[in-house]
Amino acid sequence: MNNTKSPLVGILMGSDSDWPAMKLAADALAEFNIASEAKVISAHRDPHGLEEYISGAAKRGIKVIIAGAGGAAHLPGVSAAFTTLPVIGVPIESKSLKGLDSLLSIVQMPPGVPVATVGIGAARNAGLLAVQILAVGDAGLQSALDKFKVKLREESRAKNKTLTQ
């Protein structure tokens, strides 16, 4: 597992108002001692800044990008256009269509520009997917994920105790 402070995952959002949702990804990564960095970079208001960040990410040690976006939700796709790193898109709930617009924008990428997409507001799952991607080459991280899955199973089974018959 990565116990260093060097970030392995970049967490991007188009606005600081997305942070409450996207913080769940950072929290999931922290559970596995994976350092991340969070940045506000708008695909529409700062496309050159986004290109600069994404183009240099691998050189800085970033292995996975998690990009949250609402509305037109271009941030994950534009990020994927600038890199060969895995990009995970998080649709952020919007006021008009409750995030369905964001989900459809992110998931409908053209051939050759893949973006893994989690559910609306599911930044925690994006963080966990990043952990799973990183665990492919890290036996210690894989072991931690195995323990996590056992814990999930035990928590699920324990819910049977609360049922009344």
Side-chain angles (χ1 to χ4, degrees):
M1 291 193 311
N2 176 32
N3 293 315
T4 68
K5 301 231 186 236
S6 178
L8 294 179
V9 179
I11 300 172
L12 303 179
M13 61 214 87
S15 171
D16 61 348
S17 64
D18 297 337
W19 179 240
M22 295 304 292
K23 184 179 182 310
L24 299 174
D27 292 345
L29 292 162
E31 287 176 36
F32 291 88
N33 297 313
I34 295 172
S36 64
E37 62 184 21
K39 303 280 183 192
V40 173
I41 307 176
S42 171
H44 298 112
R45 292 180 287 273
D46 189 9
H48 299 294
L50 178 60
E51 179 181 18
E52 181 180 318
Y53 175 84
I54 294 293
S55 296
K59 292 176 194 152
R60 291 190 322 278
I62 298 294
K63 305 287 185 201
V64 180
I65 301 290
I66 298 173
H74 290 115
L75 185 60
V78 174
S79 296
F82 289 128
T83 188
T84 58
L85 294 174
V87 175
I88 303 167
V90 179
I92 302 294
E93 187 171 336
S94 58
K95 292 178 184 174
S96 58
L97 296 174
K98 304 294 183 206
L100 186 57
D101 49 345
S102 308
L103 173 65
L104 295 175
S105 292
I106 296 171
V107 80
Q108 294 294 338
M109 292 303 300
V113 190
V115 172
T117 309
V118 296
I120 298 166
R124 177 168 173 77
N125 271 352
L128 293 171
L129 180 55
V131 173
Q132 289 179 293
I133 290 168
L134 294 169
V136 168
D138 185 326
L141 195 50
Q142 185 62 53
S143 177
L145 274 171
D146 290 340
K147 290 174 186 169
F148 173 76
K149 293 289 187 167
V150 167
K151 179 182 166 206
L152 285 179
R153 181 179 66 237
E154 290 171 352
E155 288 172 352
S156 178
R157 288 179 180 176
K159 294 177 189 287
N160 285 308
K161 295 175 185 172
T162 64
L163 300 177
T164 57
Q165 297 186 16

